[in-house]
Amino acid sequence: MIKAKKSLGQNFLINQNILKKIVSLINAEDKYVLEIGPGTGNLTSYILKNNPKKLLVVEKDKFLVSHLKKKFASKIIIINDDILKINEKKLSNEKLIVFGNLPYNISTEILAKWIINLDHKNFWFEALILMFQKEVADRILSKFNSSKYGRLTILANWKLEISKVCDIKPGSFFPKPKVDSSLLLFKPKKIFYRFKNSKNLEKVTRIFFNQRRKKIKTPFNKLFNGNINVLNNLNIDLNLRPHNLSQDIYYKLTEEFEKL
């Protein structure tokens, strides 16, 4: 029996119906595939049944790496490293289909890193099929004017079309997590705002949502020094709060910030 490590946020997906559902979402036959956190290889086995051209897996746990080597031998390419330390764009010259039951403690950090590092012209992936804690997935999918709407929503939806596949109960994992999970499908958008530096969107949203319960006058003045032209151009009311501004407004604010 392989024991999950709490420090690495390990919860192994064991529900066969969910595993089948995940691999059925996109045709991986003769494609290049990346799996993040394969764990004991439950999903890996199903991916291999779809006959990918190449299957790369990133696993941080050395004990699990040893297990995967015994189980799959040369059928997969194992990268024993932390996904946060890897330059994802150098993993393959071909676009990847990415599957990931992401560790809940770093899932938002992984997604934010990938989004900030995305090229405007060439995405390194064809699709992302990722598992999140349901609360995080709800934040990713939330609409403005809701309490869950925030920086993660704005960043995630900037270059990606996102859809929820299903919610998953704790009993589908071993050990059982204390929360529900959600499976999300991400695909690249063809049309999106193009900034000089992606980190400017991260900066604008960070400053606005730093005090999300307060009016936006302070963060606006911090970024734009009360520039009346920006207010008029975007028709912004400074009495609103950060969650009252649409994603589109934040993208336009970033464009204005880059003009300064």
Side-chain angles (χ1 to χ4, degrees):
M1 175 68 74
I2 293 175
K3 194 172 182 180
K5 292 180 181 173
K6 207 173 201 180
S7 61
L8 296 179
Q10 292 175 347
N11 297 96
F12 307 129
L13 183 61
I14 57 173
N15 185 309
Q16 302 299 309
N17 291 327
I18 299 295
L19 290 164
K20 290 174 187 175
K21 189 182 190 86
I22 291 171
V23 296
S24 71
L25 291 171
I26 192 162
N27 181 16
E29 185 176 1
D30 210 32
K31 299 283 184 71
Y32 287 73
V33 177
L34 170 67
E35 185 184 2
I36 309 297
T40 55
N42 297 340
L43 181 61
T44 315
S45 296
Y46 280 98
I47 295 172
L48 286 171
K49 288 178 183 179
N50 282 357
N51 299 312
K53 194 164 191 175
K54 185 181 287 187
L55 174 54
L56 306 164
V57 304
V58 175
E59 177 55 62
K60 185 178 180 180
D61 188 332
K62 289 182 179 179
F63 178 76
L64 288 176
V65 166
S66 177
H67 169 79
L68 293 167
K69 284 178 179 177
K70 291 175 185 175
K71 188 172 183 177
F72 299 109
S74 61
K75 293 178 182 178
I76 63 175
I77 297 168
I78 303 172
I79 302 167
N80 180 205
D81 205 344
D82 183 341
I83 187 61
L84 285 170
K85 295 178 181 177
I86 291 173
N87 184 340
E88 61 277 1
K89 288 181 279 189
K90 291 185 177 180
L91 287 170
S92 171
N93 291 326
E94 302 290 332
K95 286 193 176 183
L96 293 161
I97 294 170
V98 183
F99 294 93
N101 179 17
L102 303 180
Y104 289 157
N105 54 345
I106 57 168
S107 62
T108 56
E109 195 176 351
I110 293 169
L111 184 62
K113 172 181 177 283
W114 287 352
I115 291 166
I116 293 298
N117 289 344
L118 279 178
D119 292 330
H120 283 333
K121 293 181 180 179
N122 297 307
F123 284 59
W124 58 272
F125 57 85
E126 182 180 326
L128 308 173
I129 302 102
L130 305 175
M131 187 90 67
F132 293 90
Q133 185 176 328
K134 185 177 182 297
E135 184 271 333
V136 173
D138 289 345
R139 283 164 53 201
I140 291 169
L141 295 167
S142 64
K143 305 297 181 185
F144 76 100
N145 285 329
S146 73
S147 60
K148 292 178 180 176
Y149 176 81
R151 295 178 62 215
L152 187 60
T153 321
I154 297 158
L155 284 172
N157 288 271
W158 170 32
K159 293 184 177 181
L160 301 170
E161 295 286 354
I162 310 169
S163 56
K164 180 191 277 193
V165 178
C166 62
D167 292 326
I168 302 170
K169 293 295 181 182
S172 293
F173 299 87
F174 178 81
K176 291 181 183 179
K178 295 179 180 179
V179 295
D180 288 358
S181 303
S182 295
L183 184 65
L184 302 184
L185 172 62
F186 301 76
K187 288 192 174 181
K189 286 181 178 178
K190 291 182 179 177
I191 300 173
F192 51 83
Y193 287 85
R194 284 164 164 75
F195 305 128
K196 295 173 186 174
N197 188 336
S198 300
K199 290 183 179 179
N200 285 325
L201 176 61
E202 192 275 336
K203 179 176 181 177
V204 168
T205 54
R206 174 168 42 81
I207 289 173
F208 267 86
F209 282 92
N210 189 41
Q211 294 181 303
R212 61 176 299 132
R213 296 181 185 276
K214 296 191 176 181
K215 294 178 182 180
I216 62 170
K217 183 176 181 180
T218 299
F220 180 84
N221 287 337
K222 184 174 182 178
L223 285 166
F224 298 100
N225 197 27
N227 191 317
I228 195 70
N229 291 326
V230 175
L231 283 179
N232 292 336
N233 288 342
L234 303 185
N235 194 25
I236 294 174
D237 180 356
L238 292 182
N239 290 311
L240 296 175
R241 285 168 174 76
H243 68 276
N244 299 131
L245 301 182
S246 70
Q247 295 169 27
D248 210 47
I249 291 295
Y250 281 105
Y251 304 143
K252 290 177 179 177
L253 280 166
T254 304
E255 283 186 327
E256 294 292 340
F257 179 72
E258 290 192 330
K259 291 177 185 176
L260 299 177

